[in-house]
Amino acid sequence: MVFPHCLASLCLSSLLLTLVLFASDVTSSSNNVTKIGNGYSLISIQETSDGALVGLLQINTKTKTYGPDIPLLRFYAKHETDNRLRVHITDANKQRWEVPYNLIPREQPPSLTQTIGKFKKVDPIEVSEYSGSELLFSYISNPFSFSVKRKSNGETLFNSTSTFSDPFSSLVFKDQYLEISTKLPKDASLYGLGENTQPHGIKLYPSDPYTLYTTDISAINLNADLYGSHPMYMDLRNNGGEASAHAVLLLNSNGMDVFYRGNSLTYKVIGGVFDFYFFSGPTPLNVVDQYTSLIGRPAPMPYWAFGFHQCRWGYHNLSVVEDVVDSYKKAQIPLDVIWNDDDHMDGHKDFTLNPNNYPRPKLLNFLNKIHSIGMKYIVIIDPGIGVNSSYGVYQRGLANDVFIKYEGEPFLAQVWPGAVNFPDFLNPKTVSWWSDEIRRFHELVPVDGLWIDMNEASNFCSGKCTIPKGKICPSGTGPGWICCLDCKNITKTRWDDPPYKINASGIQAPIGYKTIATSATHYNGVLEYDAHSIYGFSQSVATHKGLLGIEGKRPFILSRSTYVGSGKYAAHWTGDNQGTWENLRYSISTMLNFGIFGVPMVGSDICGFYPQPTEELCNRWIEVGAFYPFSRDHANYYSPRQELYQWDSVAQSARNALGIRYKILPYLYTLNYEAHVSGSPIARPLFFTFPSYTECYGLSTQFLLGSSLMISPVLEQGKTQVKALFPPGSWYSLLDWTHTITSKGGTYVTLDAPLHVVNVHLYQNTILPMQQGGLISKEARTTPFTLIVTFPAGATEGEAKGTLFIDDDERPEIKLGNGYSSFIDLYASVKQGGVKVWSEVQEGKFALDKGLIIDSISVLGLDGNVGAVASLELDGKPLIGKSGLDVTTSEHVDLNGEGNGESKTVMVALRGLSIPVGKNFAMTWKMG
């Protein structure tokens, strides 16, 4: 790492800039945007022994807007890896709240006491650079600003410099108001900054509000802060056909507004520190790899989690649940997991069973029955623990002092059981107590996973509440979410009523509205004001630890509230959506965003949570939802039943779409492995595979599974065709492998899509492992494999690749080398009429012991003018004439008409092979 001298021209520019800004008022207005102060000056700097920069920043002019300025800041910059730069700015004299280092393990900057006494009080260089392998950090000393550039081409990725004409301030740092901005090129495409429902699609839209503060408001609310907080964005740019991506994370859990104007982006944060991480990419996959290497790799999911799930709030008794399972079987619709919302609970209390509607002996008999065939059972758990003197969970919680406090007493709120206290998951004693309650409940009911809901945290009341005397609360009638406690608003502290009002709930609601009071305290005096948005994340960590400790099996957790790093522990569903065509479309963008956030196991309530969808909409929704990474039908208590068998037409669409899903389960599970190893999303925007193809930058109506499988669903009422974008190359229909679409520069194609059809296409240069499907994943994963090999249509030379991961999915870790997994690299080539398909197997014993075989191989896109299959060999031995072997050749139909003109292309299918998956093989033949 080097610390080069100041460039004279830059120094002069800095000096002129300083004079201009000092001539401005303390608080000025430019472009109708109020500017606050004149920023800070860098007064001293040093390079640490490990190559980092540490400096002191002094306020230039104090202002009173949003409170007093912090007079002295410490900034710290370090190239932590070749592709990651960290810039950390905090109070130089006082420790401030940061996301706990035990929740997201990472390097810690030097302590304030370590650095303050070591600074040399010298005039700093006006402009200087600090170089890493991929990124270049530079700063201007007065007013202090910094920029981050890509070293390879000098492109500026982040620049916090504010000039007089810019619509944002220089650095502002007060106790409850932090502001910093960056300039952006107008043609940059930004993604991220969630969770919110984005009506304009996956790309961030200039002037749309982006508020980050975990809130229980329905996902039908557009452009509002929803259940999760992910202050991270990816920036994709294209210069002259050369694409590059990078990402920026502000690791801060306090509430914030982010203003994106198209050519700039401004953070306005109500506490904490500036802790920026810059990830250099340069591809979107590189970005997510680098991002998850910091925040935690996505959790490995068990195989059955990729099956279909059915849930409903309102399965009033066990016989209804049994009937649902039987009805799916009768309708021949795949089903792996049956869920209970809180219907199974005794009085809505966590870790209990209703003795009348879900009697334990009958429930255990039911679970024995479904477990014997490989099905699973999951129930809901809310964080609010009912205040009840006869409730053991509550009494043990009180005895262990696990609840969040307000004025020294457990904070009282109301959720479904009535009056509740909220566990403080930042307290180690709470984590132990929670794990013990999970263990006790698992002994009562052997559930296969837990669904943690309402963990933003949600509260039906606001303020300081007491249990009313002389009336029952709740009454037992009505919807149950009306506050019945006696409550008074809390506005007496600056934590309850901060000087800057974020756009909470899209209406600048008080930040303590219908949640935990923000002046309540956690373990060690941590304020809810600071820790609010990590509540659900901390519950996910505790729940993961509890489930892992029961039987040592791989946990499955579904969480509504998420934060940076939640994907390391939990899956996510997108909350309370509506059964509307608009919500069907929105679900794709939210799903794709969570893949970028490092939470790849994600999906929306199929057919909508409420109200009941139309029959046509439910048909189309299962055709999308069958390809969500997490695929579940869930409905509201007050909605009519909407299981997939309720309509004959929907049942047919479900059999078709889920039939494809269950055949590609090996592919999905391999993507699960890749997500855990490198962070790669399971469902991806098209630009992940085609980053230089600008036409797909804003595409939010199609998506990829992995790098090569494209879903192009119908998302509009009454349509039986869909206009789909096909990036350059050859695509093959998974519904009819002889149908191909080839384009040289990319094209839109109108595809037929009758009610029961969803278009799925496989890209060239791919080997897709499939099995024969089934009604339960346990049986589907034992069936013979088919390999689909795709070459560019008619290519005389080409290569294709694929991978396959197989393991014992009950084991907590997903990895090679433990004796319970196999990994297969699949390869294919075509050259001068010769075709070769082969494998290279790592740790093959597990696959061999399972008896898994490849029954068929189909090679698509071959030149059909060179003749038929000849000289067919497997591992050097002739196959022609082998008993049971079937070889067929079929001609492709190019639906786009951009193929090779007179040249025909063909598919060759080989069946009856019986090749062991766990053993290297090589198959060759000649076309001639």
Side-chain angles (χ1 to χ4, degrees):
M1 296 181 184
V2 295
F3 201 153
H5 293 294
C6 169
L7 297 174
S9 59
L10 285 177
C11 289
L12 179 60
S13 298
S14 173
L15 180 59
L16 291 172
L17 178 61
T18 300
L19 292 173
V20 169
L21 285 177
F22 269 119
S24 66
D25 294 333
V26 170
T27 302
S28 62
S29 182
S30 175
N31 295 342
N32 298 318
V33 176
T34 299
K35 293 191 177 186
I36 302 172
N38 295 312
Y40 287 76
S41 298
L42 179 67
I43 59 172
S44 59
I45 194 165
Q46 68 173 9
E47 191 167 3
T48 65
S49 58
D50 62 349
L53 291 184
V54 182
L56 287 179
L57 307 175
Q58 183 173 277
I59 188 70
N60 281 329
T61 309
K62 294 182 179 179
T63 69
K64 295 181 179 179
T65 307
Y66 303 133
D69 298 276
I70 293 177
L72 191 67
L73 305 178
R74 187 199 68 180
F75 99 85
Y76 166 86
K78 185 179 181 183
H79 293 282
E80 292 189 335
T81 69
D82 287 348
N83 47 49
R84 184 174 80 225
L85 167 69
R86 184 182 190 183
V87 178
H88 182 279
I89 303 174
T90 188
D91 188 333
N93 294 306
K94 183 181 177 182
Q95 191 76 32
R96 290 180 62 82
W97 164 257
E98 298 186 44
V99 175
Y101 282 79
N102 65 323
L103 281 184
I104 301 181
R106 58 202 189 276
E107 287 187 41
Q108 295 201 37
S111 68
L112 298 176
T113 54
Q114 278 181 301
T115 56
I116 290 299
K118 295 183 178 181
F119 283 106
K120 297 177 181 178
K121 301 295 183 181
V122 296
D123 290 333
I125 303 168
E126 284 288 342
V127 180
S128 194
E129 294 179 337
Y130 169 52
S131 179
S133 297
E134 302 292 338
L135 297 173
L136 187 66
F137 172 86
S138 63
Y139 63 82
I140 297 174
S141 66
N142 193 1
F144 175 79
S145 65
F146 69 89
S147 64
V148 179
K149 296 181 180 180
R150 190 180 300 282
K151 196 173 177 182
S152 61
N153 61 8
E155 184 176 38
T156 299
L157 310 184
F158 192 96
N159 180 6
S160 69
T161 302
S162 173
T163 64
F164 182 76
S165 61
D166 287 322
F168 50 81
S169 305
S170 293
L171 173 67
V172 181
F173 205 116
K174 300 167 185 281
D175 192 26
Q176 290 183 267
Y177 182 80
L178 288 66
E179 181 181 332
I180 196 169
S181 302
T182 179
K183 298 177 180 179
L184 292 167
K186 286 187 176 180
D187 58 353
S189 296
L190 269 60
Y191 311 89
L193 296 178
E195 177 180 11
N196 58 22
T197 300
Q198 298 175 192
H200 296 108
I202 188 173
K203 269 179 68 172
L204 299 189
Y205 192 79
S207 301
D208 273 359
Y210 297 97
T211 298
L212 280 68
Y213 189 73
T214 60
T215 307
D216 176 14
I217 59 172
S218 169
I220 69 173
N221 292 279
L222 307 181
N223 292 325
D225 45 313
L226 298 181
Y227 313 106
S229 175
H230 294 270
M232 172 267 196
Y233 69 86
M234 178 188 292
D235 182 339
L236 177 61
R237 303 179 187 179
N238 191 303
N239 294 312
E242 290 292 324
S244 62
H246 67 276
V248 179
L249 165 68
L250 173 55
L251 190 58
N252 181 303
S253 63
N254 290 82
M256 68 179 77
D257 289 332
V258 185
F259 295 90
Y260 173 50
R261 302 178 186 89
N263 58 2
S264 68
L265 185 144
T266 297
Y267 299 90
K268 297 185 177 183
V269 193
I270 61 172
V273 302
F274 284 130
D275 193 3
F276 281 104
Y277 290 85
F278 301 91
F279 306 91
S280 66
T283 70
L285 274 178
N286 292 151
V287 165
V288 180
D289 184 4
Q290 295 154 14
Y291 180 60
T292 57
S293 72
L294 171 70
I295 67 167
R297 299 297 194 192
M301 296 291 157
Y303 199 92
W304 52 262
F306 291 93
F308 184 69
H309 303 243
Q310 177 61 51
C311 184
R312 176 180 169 81
W313 178 26
Y315 288 151
H316 299 296
N317 55 53
L318 180 59
S319 63
V320 177
V321 175
E322 292 174 316
D323 180 68
V324 169
V325 173
D326 289 343
S327 296
Y328 266 92
K329 185 176 181 180
K330 288 176 184 175
Q332 292 291 286
I333 301 170
L335 180 66
D336 259 75
V337 190
I338 187 71
W339 295 57
N340 264 128
D341 206 311
D342 69 357
D343 303 290
H344 69 285
M345 295 180 181
D346 182 12
H348 306 286
K349 299 189 296 294
D350 283 350
F351 306 118
T352 63
L353 272 183
N354 184 312
N356 298 317
N357 295 337
Y358 284 83
R360 183 169 181 257
K362 291 185 178 180
L363 178 59
L364 292 180
N365 286 337
F366 168 70
L367 295 184
N368 285 336
K369 178 181 175 182
I370 67 170
H371 284 156
S372 68
I373 59 173
M375 285 187 64
K376 305 296 180 181
Y377 178 61
I378 293 174
V379 300
I380 198 169
I381 298 288
D382 291 340
I385 301 299
V387 175
N388 187 318
S389 60
S390 62
Y391 178 30
V393 177
Y394 172 68
Q395 293 300 324
R396 288 186 291 272
L398 273 183
N400 284 282
D401 193 25
V402 303
F403 297 118
I404 292 171
K405 301 286 180 59
Y406 183 78
E407 295 181 339
E409 298 294 327
F411 175 76
L412 191 71
Q414 181 188 329
V415 201
W416 300 114
V420 299
N421 296 150
F422 287 113
D424 174 13
F425 295 105
L426 299 183
N427 186 341
K429 287 172 62 178
T430 305
V431 176
S432 298
W433 161 81
W434 187 253
S435 295
D436 184 58
E437 296 301 338
I438 290 174
R439 177 191 60 79
R440 290 170 181 266
F441 182 62
H442 194 268
E443 290 175 356
L444 184 72
V445 184
V447 295
D448 300 289
L450 288 175
W451 170 19
I452 52 177
D453 190 13
M454 308 287 285
N455 52 352
E456 292 73 30
S458 179
N459 181 359
F460 297 159
C461 301
S462 301
K464 182 179 181 179
C465 302
T466 57
I467 298 175
K469 295 180 181 180
K471 72 174 182 178
I472 298 173
C473 173
S475 64
T477 61
W481 56 74
I482 305 301
C483 179
C484 56
L485 301 177
D486 290 336
C487 303
K488 295 180 179 179
N489 288 335
I490 304 172
T491 57
K492 62 185 178 182
T493 77
R494 61 194 180 102
W495 311 115
D496 301 298
D497 187 23
Y500 176 78
K501 315 300 183 199
I502 62 171
N503 194 34
S505 301
I507 55 171
Q508 289 193 344
I511 56 174
Y513 179 70
K514 292 202 170 181
T515 187
I516 301 167
T518 43
S519 54
T521 54
H522 294 252
Y523 180 66
N524 278 346
V526 168
L527 285 166
E528 168 69 10
Y529 179 88
D530 293 316
H532 171 84
S533 288
I534 61 170
Y535 188 77
F537 174 39
S538 63
Q539 187 192 16
S540 295
V541 175
T543 306
H544 189 274
K545 183 175 182 180
L547 283 176
L548 196 58
I550 293 173
E551 295 178 306
K553 290 185 178 181
R554 189 175 300 174
F556 179 85
I557 301 162
L558 184 72
S559 179
R560 188 168 75 176
S561 185
T562 60
Y563 183 71
V564 174
S566 283
K568 184 178 179 181
Y569 304 96
H572 175 64
W573 94 107
T574 63
D576 297 347
N577 59 358
Q578 277 187 320
T580 66
W581 291 93
E582 292 81 6
N583 277 251
L584 170 59
R585 289 193 290 274
Y586 301 153
S587 74
I588 295 176
S589 295
T590 306
M591 170 186 69
L592 297 179
N593 264 325
F594 270 87
I596 294 172
F597 295 150
V599 189
M601 192 62 165
V602 60
S604 295
D605 287 344
I606 292 170
C607 297
F609 183 60
Y610 70 97
Q612 185 186 37
T614 64
E615 182 175 349
E616 181 191 1
L617 175 59
C618 203
N619 270 277
R620 292 309 190 185
W621 208 317
I622 186 55
E623 292 171 356
V624 179
F627 301 98
Y628 294 154
F630 172 64
S631 183
R632 184 184 73 159
D633 182 315
H634 179 45
N636 183 287
Y637 183 96
Y638 296 96
S639 297
R641 296 280 291 272
Q642 64 181 47
E643 291 85 4
L644 301 180
Y645 55 78
Q646 295 289 345
W647 297 277
D648 289 342
S649 70
V650 175
Q652 182 61 49
S653 293
R655 284 189 288 269
N656 291 347
L658 289 173
I660 297 173
R661 181 185 182 92
Y662 273 64
K663 289 177 181 177
I664 65 169
L665 283 176
Y667 180 65
L668 290 172
Y669 192 69
T670 301
L671 293 175
N672 171 50
Y673 171 73
E674 292 176 358
H676 181 66
V677 170
S678 67
S680 55
I682 296 172
R684 308 173 190 177
L686 269 66
F687 66 74
F688 265 68
T689 297
F690 305 96
S692 297
Y693 186 50
T694 57
E695 189 71 22
C696 67
Y697 282 13
L699 187 65
S700 305
T701 54
Q702 297 168 249
F703 58 94
L704 293 172
L705 292 177
S707 62
S708 341
L709 199 62
M710 184 170 71
I711 318 300
S712 305
V714 171
L715 302 174
E716 296 179 74
Q717 184 176 0
K719 300 290 185 182
T720 56
Q721 292 182 319
V722 60
K723 185 179 179 182
L725 177 64
F726 286 82
S730 296
W731 296 86
Y732 298 87
S733 171
L734 215 60
L735 305 179
D736 184 337
W737 302 349
T738 65
H739 287 179
T740 179
I741 291 173
T742 298
S743 70
K744 295 175 182 177
T747 186
Y748 282 94
V749 177
T750 298
L751 304 170
D752 287 333
L755 187 62
H756 304 310
V757 171
V758 58
N759 281 280
V760 182
H761 288 83
L762 185 62
Y763 192 53
Q764 66 187 32
N765 307 323
T766 301
I767 302 179
L768 176 69
M770 296 174 61
Q771 287 177 284
Q772 294 179 3
L775 296 181
I776 298 173
S777 65
K778 182 180 179 179
E779 65 182 42
R781 72 183 306 196
T782 64
T783 60
F785 279 85
T786 293
L787 303 183
I788 305 179
V789 181
T790 59
F791 292 120
T796 55
E797 293 189 11
E799 294 182 346
K801 294 180 180 179
T803 55
L804 175 63
F805 179 82
I806 302 165
D807 76 342
D808 177 355
D809 67 311
E810 293 286 304
R811 295 188 166 267
E813 293 185 314
I814 187 167
K815 64 178 185 179
L816 284 173
N818 60 6
Y820 295 92
S821 58
S822 299
F823 186 85
I824 299 94
D825 282 299
L826 300 165
Y827 301 96
S829 65
V830 58
K831 188 174 183 180
Q832 296 176 347
V835 179
K836 181 179 180 181
V837 182
W838 73 100
S839 71
E840 295 179 3
V841 179
Q842 300 178 55
E843 309 287 335
K845 184 177 183 301
F846 180 78
L848 289 171
D849 290 345
K850 292 293 180 182
L852 298 172
I853 63 164
I854 300 168
D855 174 74
S856 63
I857 297 175
S858 292
V859 181
L860 284 55
L862 295 173
D863 183 351
N865 295 308
V866 294
V869 174
S871 306
L872 179 63
E873 295 184 350
L874 176 63
D875 297 330
K877 298 178 181 177
L879 275 182
I880 298 296
K882 175 181 176 291
S883 175
L885 178 67
D886 180 41
V887 181
T888 59
T889 301
S890 306
E891 188 171 343
H892 286 299
V893 177
D894 188 346
L895 301 183
N896 190 44
E898 279 192 33
N900 290 330
E902 298 299 320
S903 177
K904 71 174 183 178
T905 61
V906 298
M907 173 186 80
V908 172
L910 312 172
R911 300 179 183 87
L913 295 172
S914 294
I915 301 171
V917 171
K919 184 180 177 182
N920 290 350
F921 77 90
M923 174 168 288
T924 59
W925 71 83
K926 287 281 188 182
M927 298 291 291

